[in-house]
Amino acid sequence: MTTPVFSFKPTQIGNRGLYFAAAILLSWSGMLVFLLNYALDWRNPLVYIFALIQTHLYTGVFITAHDAIHGVVAPNNKRLNYGIGFLCATLFAFNNFNRLSRKHHLHHKHSATGDDPDYHDGNPGFLAWYYSFLKEYISIIQIVLMAVTYNILKIWFPMENLIVFWMAPAVLSTFQLFYFGTYLPHRGEHHNPPHNARSQKLNNVTAFLSCYFFGYHAEHHAWPYLPWWKLPEARASNK
């Protein structure tokens, strides 16, 4: 399988990566403040809609950390790029940005092989692979920090709101990231080494809603320096 030429350099991003990062972070934090003070009524369908929106924004926070790993949030300012990545990883359940970065670069170097920390050898079902994936990335320190933060936040906010709009969206986001960004792209056999990844059909609406275009995963592996918002253009050139 040949990879077409896609002409784009990270230096062409300018400040656009910062604008997208700011939009996601402000939307996530603004929604969270609003929802933690929201009158929760289980009969109100907006409760479930808001929870799904916050899940999607949580995913965006992680995707921003991911783009910082590849140096494309602020490609012209490495310190700022690192700071944003560190902040986003921390906001996403106290993930360690340096650990995420190390493992993610291994994933790109050894995609869908025994040396890939994201890959579960033996092509298992979704839940077995998801469990293996979580073990790679969740630490005791994260769980303790989340528990401490929860107990502090519940001094000011209702417990139900914290669970529905802070904790549950974080968990659901890991499903979203894993299913669309790891499981579907890397399961089964592949015919495009060394990337060993496949992409969903070209549909930018569903691709954005599913996982910020990371269903265009073969393109991400072919051009890892592309920010998430440039992947549709790469997918269109590779269809």
Side-chain angles (χ1 to χ4, degrees):
M1 179 177 179
T2 59
T3 301
V5 175
F6 183 73
S7 179
F8 184 81
K9 296 179 180 179
T11 52
Q12 296 175 241
I13 294 171
N15 291 323
R16 283 179 291 171
L18 293 174
Y19 300 151
F20 279 104
I24 289 172
L25 285 169
L26 289 173
S27 298
W28 174 84
S29 58
M31 277 289 291
L32 184 61
V33 171
F34 168 72
L35 292 173
L36 290 182
N37 293 283
Y38 187 71
L40 198 154
D41 180 352
W42 297 109
R43 297 166 298 180
N44 184 355
L46 286 177
V47 169
Y48 307 97
I49 294 172
F50 285 151
L52 289 176
I53 291 173
Q54 194 65 1
T55 297
H56 188 66
L57 290 172
Y58 252 111
T59 299
V61 170
F62 187 89
I63 292 295
T64 303
H66 165 273
D67 274 8
I69 287 172
H70 288 288
V72 294
V73 172
N76 300 316
N77 189 327
K78 290 184 178 181
R79 182 174 295 182
L80 180 59
N81 183 85
Y82 179 89
I84 293 173
F86 184 91
L87 173 63
C88 289
T90 303
L91 291 174
F92 196 90
F94 295 101
N95 274 276
N96 184 302
F97 181 71
N98 293 326
R99 185 166 177 259
L100 281 176
S101 179
R102 183 176 67 254
K103 286 181 175 288
H104 189 66
H105 284 301
L106 285 174
H107 166 65
H108 275 269
K109 185 177 181 180
H110 306 288
S111 181
T113 70
D115 294 320
D116 178 0
D118 293 2
Y119 187 66
H120 193 300
D121 196 15
N123 195 28
F126 172 82
L127 290 178
W129 193 340
Y130 177 66
Y131 176 69
S132 173
F133 181 82
L134 290 183
K135 287 197 301 180
E136 282 288 338
Y137 289 97
I138 294 180
S139 67
I140 296 297
I141 293 176
Q142 283 178 257
I143 296 173
V144 170
L145 288 173
M146 286 292 287
V148 170
T149 304
Y150 167 77
N151 281 284
I152 292 173
L153 289 175
K154 75 177 184 180
I155 297 173
W156 297 288
F157 303 108
M159 178 186 68
E160 293 84 358
N161 290 57
L162 285 168
I163 293 172
V164 174
F165 299 125
W166 181 60
M167 298 177 69
V171 174
L172 291 172
S173 179
T174 65
F175 273 97
Q176 185 178 3
L177 287 159
F178 172 73
Y179 186 74
F180 293 103
T182 297
Y183 180 69
L184 289 182
H186 293 297
R187 66 176 177 171
E189 296 183 359
H190 301 278
H191 305 285
N192 60 337
H195 306 312
N196 295 327
R198 65 178 61 85
S199 289
Q200 69 184 76
K201 293 181 179 179
L202 184 62
N203 184 321
N204 290 341
V205 174
T206 57
F208 172 74
L209 292 176
S210 62
C211 199
Y212 290 77
F213 305 122
F214 268 83
Y216 300 156
H217 211 73
E219 287 71 29
H220 170 56
H221 276 263
W223 301 289
Y225 54 83
L226 291 180
W228 65 266
W229 41 273
K230 290 292 290 185
L231 288 172
E233 188 177 338
R235 180 66 179 128
S237 75
N238 197 26
K239 64 180 179 178

